[in-house]
Amino acid sequence: DTDVTIYPGLLSLTSQGELVRTLKTEKAVKADIDAAVKLLLKLKADYKQVTGQDYKAGCPPLESTVLEDTGPAAAVDGEDMVDPWNVSTTSAKGVDYDKLIVRFGSSKVDQELVDRIERVSGKKPHRFLRRGIFFSHRDMHQVLDAYEKNKSFYLYTGRGPSSEAMHVGHLIPFIFTKWLQDTFDIPLVIQLTDDEKYLWKDLSLEDCHRYAVENAKDIIACGFDVNKTFIFSDLDYMGASPDFYRNVVKIQKHVTFNQVKGIFGFGDSDCIGKIAFPAIQAAPSFSNSFPQIFKGRKDIQCLIPCAIDQDPYFRMTRDVAPRIGYPKPALLHSTFFPALQGAQTKMSASDANSSIFLTDTPKQIKNKVNKHAFSGGKDTIEEHRKYGGNPDVDVSFMYLTFFLEDDEQLDKIRQDYASGALLTGELKKRLIDTLQPMITAHQERRKQVTEEMVLKFMTPRPLDFNF
Ligand code: TRP
């Protein structure tokens, strides 16, 4: 499976260009040259229509995944499998994220970018940036260039409400999005795809909608400012906002069945709701989907923090954007939050033993970590002291990299664990001591969230920004 997908028309374009040149150098009859040039121009126009880019000899389109019709982009790469619905690998260290960057054609969040975010924002970069948890991006430099010239942007993220139970992994994009909002002081829209979950799972519409409202409470408990944040359920907002639906239809007109088949792997027996859905996840990337916030402007740049498995939706979005006259959204991608059993797969709400839920009691947290968290330690204390543990496969250590704020402490834990000075039980205790107060505090904040507050967050209204 190759990383770069070549636009099928590219080959004919290249050979047609060659033909024109040959005809000219060989001084062929004018009518033949003219006919060849005419075909070349048509191929170029087609190329631009499909890719949104001008043809340059020898350069494949930058993001051509949307044109692929040879099977899902999320195909198996060695052992790693990553698409919006599945994550698995055979490596205990987890998915090879550097390979994923190459496969998806995104860019690495390198030290230079982290330093630049620090310079531009004047704030210490969030631990998710310092530690490579938001590891990949598209167009972040462009967003920062514009921001430095006082051009604002907005944030868009989301969640598929498939049950009432949210786990700590679900908080990762929201914790980070909250930091971005505080740091850059910009509007935020949060899409709850209750429609998506209805289409994909065996759930009723009413349950999906109810989960959306329940999940909104956990999201609000992350501390978002109601004057700067709009949370919406697709089931509600699609019917309430003509501008949103107009964008959905525009996107639907510019993506073919072949293209979504290539990106998402849809087949003949998938319901047509699934095939139409990607346009609904794409639409919030365009500012005029929210006229109440952006006063009808369509040129406000969007930045989407999300887990890397959502990228297929936004590769499609970025491919469509220029063809319908909108800026491409920028992206910041996170790694997955590993399951308790190990980084071969991500935490899943449908497997109670793989997850720490936001509703777990301190005792449940303690028992789950002690009983289920995969350990990189040795079998006996003697061996562990002698050879040391392996933090790279140890789930408790991985969770600490997500949640322990202090860099020095984290580094010391890593060293002590690797040397054998720190035992598995002690490492687990550090994690339990970090998670318990964090989850308790979340539960307390969630209790403060009233129905009225949820209603306000979810009502289309202007936010505290002037566009
Ligand atoms: N499809 C996502 C999920 O199942 C939900 C989602 C919608 C989303 N829009 C988003 C996630 C934007 C991240 C960014 O969880």
Side-chain angles (χ1 to χ4, degrees):
D1 124 68
T2 50
D3 302 317
V4 182
T5 313
I6 308 273
Y7 163 56
L10 193 60
L11 291 176
S12 43
L13 236 176
T14 316
S15 51
Q16 191 65 21
E18 263 161 35
L19 178 66
V20 169
R21 246 168 290 133
T22 315
L23 289 174
K24 280 184 177 167
T25 43
E26 287 176 8
K27 304 219 174 356
V29 275
K30 187 169 178 306
D32 284 351
I33 299 180
D34 285 349
V37 169
K38 201 173 157 202
L39 180 57
L40 180 65
L41 290 177
K42 184 182 178 305
L43 286 169
K44 283 190 180 178
D46 288 350
Y47 180 91
K48 181 152 191 187
Q49 153 100 72
V50 192
T51 65
Q53 295 159 31
D54 282 315
Y55 171 74
K56 271 212 244 82
C59 304
L62 290 175
E63 276 165 279
S64 49
T65 326
V66 76
L67 308 161
E68 184 183 39
D69 59 1
T70 51
V76 180
D77 173 36
E79 307 84 351
D80 295 358
M81 163 93 186
V82 176
D83 71 20
W85 308 283
N86 303 285
V87 176
S88 67
T89 171
T90 53
S91 163
K93 291 186 190 175
V95 172
D96 183 332
Y97 289 106
D98 283 332
K99 259 199 200 162
L100 221 52
I101 287 178
V102 175
R103 202 166 97 203
F104 284 7
S106 61
S107 309
K108 197 178 168 81
V109 172
D110 52 15
Q111 194 55 47
E112 190 201 330
L113 178 57
V114 176
D115 291 344
R116 185 161 182 221
I117 292 174
E118 175 161 23
R119 259 196 330 274
V120 173
S121 70
K123 264 178 83 169
K124 181 174 177 182
H126 192 272
R127 60 179 186 277
F128 293 170
L129 284 171
R130 305 200 299 272
R131 298 181 191 156
I133 288 168
F134 275 79
F135 72 104
S136 154
H137 77 99
R138 296 182 190 276
D139 285 349
M140 262 315 280
H141 282 290
Q142 204 172 295
V143 170
L144 294 172
D145 287 343
Y147 186 78
E148 282 182 315
K149 293 183 191 125
N150 289 321
K151 261 188 78 183
S152 194
F153 58 100
Y154 74 102
L155 297 164
Y156 157 40
T157 190
R159 149 147 187 91
S162 48
S163 79
E164 249 171 83
M166 282 177 69
H167 58 61
V168 284
H170 292 138
L171 290 186
I172 305 304
F174 295 108
I175 292 171
F176 187 60
T177 301
K178 154 98 175 115
W179 181 83
L180 286 170
Q181 184 182 44
D182 290 348
T183 301
F184 293 100
D185 191 27
I186 42 178
L188 161 65
V189 297
I190 300 175
Q191 178 179 48
L192 301 173
T193 52
D194 37 14
D195 52 349
E196 176 190 22
K197 293 303 149 184
Y198 171 70
L199 291 164
W200 260 267
K201 308 229 160 191
D202 187 17
L203 296 168
S204 73
L205 270 173
E206 279 331 301
D207 278 345
C208 293
H209 186 260
R210 193 162 49 79
Y211 297 153
V213 176
E214 285 308 305
N215 289 180
K217 294 178 188 165
D218 281 298
I219 293 169
I220 293 167
C222 291
F224 294 108
D225 181 343
V226 70
N227 297 312
K228 298 178 180 179
T229 309
F230 173 47
I231 305 179
F232 61 100
S233 127
D234 282 345
L235 291 176
D236 291 335
Y237 193 58
M238 274 282 274
S241 171
D243 297 86
F244 186 80
Y245 186 55
R246 275 166 174 73
N247 274 340
V248 169
V249 174
K250 268 194 194 174
I251 297 158
Q252 286 172 341
K253 179 163 172 168
H254 291 82
V255 182
T256 65
F257 181 41
N258 260 334
Q259 290 167 347
V260 286
K261 257 202 286 195
I263 299 169
F264 300 99
F266 296 143
D268 287 349
S269 51
D270 279 305
C271 71
I272 59 173
K274 287 188 186 177
I275 293 148
F277 173 76
I280 301 171
Q281 181 153 336
S285 315
F286 306 129
S287 57
N288 61 349
S289 293
F290 307 98
Q292 67 280 10
I293 303 172
F294 302 107
K295 316 274 161 25
R297 279 181 65 176
K298 61 169 192 175
D299 61 337
I300 314 291
Q301 164 87 58
C302 175
L303 169 63
I304 307 171
C306 62
I308 186 76
D309 60 341
Q310 296 300 306
D311 189 64
Y313 286 110
F314 301 118
R315 287 202 295 271
M316 185 198 87
T317 309
R318 287 169 54 87
D319 195 273
V320 178
R323 283 185 278 135
I324 56 178
Y326 299 146
K328 293 181 179 190
L331 287 137
L332 271 168
H333 301 117
S334 71
T335 63
F336 303 111
F337 195 77
L340 275 168
Q341 283 74 12
Q344 287 88 344
T345 186
K346 65 173 176 173
M347 194 172 261
S348 157
S350 44
D351 177 359
N353 285 333
S354 83
S355 302
I356 308 277
F357 291 104
L358 300 179
T359 47
D360 282 349
T361 62
K363 200 167 154 213
Q364 282 172 315
I365 294 171
K366 183 173 165 209
N367 288 341
K368 278 192 200 176
V369 170
N370 281 333
K371 201 160 158 204
H372 297 294
F374 181 80
S375 167
K378 296 290 182 291
D379 289 343
T380 65
I381 293 187
E382 294 71 46
E383 274 182 63
H384 190 90
R385 291 277 187 230
K386 193 160 164 205
Y387 303 109
N390 182 0
D392 292 335
V393 301
D394 191 287
V395 169
S396 302
F397 183 76
M398 288 181 203
Y399 286 10
L400 282 170
T401 64
F402 279 85
F403 296 122
L404 188 68
E405 174 58 27
D406 191 304
D407 291 338
E408 276 170 34
Q409 278 183 36
L410 185 71
D411 206 46
K412 182 152 173 20
I413 292 172
R414 170 187 267 287
Q415 282 174 23
D416 289 351
Y417 195 59
S419 76
L422 191 73
L423 298 173
T424 294
E426 294 164 336
L427 174 63
K428 288 193 170 188
K429 182 158 188 326
R430 287 303 299 263
L431 176 63
I432 293 163
D433 290 345
T434 306
L435 286 179
Q436 283 174 335
M438 187 185 106
I439 305 277
T440 306
H442 179 87
Q443 289 166 355
E444 263 149 33
R445 287 193 306 269
R446 194 188 193 276
K447 255 190 258 156
Q448 312 291 313
V449 179
T450 62
E451 299 294 330
E452 259 176 297
M453 276 163 80
V454 179
L455 200 66
K456 179 146 194 224
F457 269 99
M458 298 187 73
T459 301
R461 74 217 120 89
L463 299 178
D464 270 3
F465 297 94
N466 267 321
F467 285 95

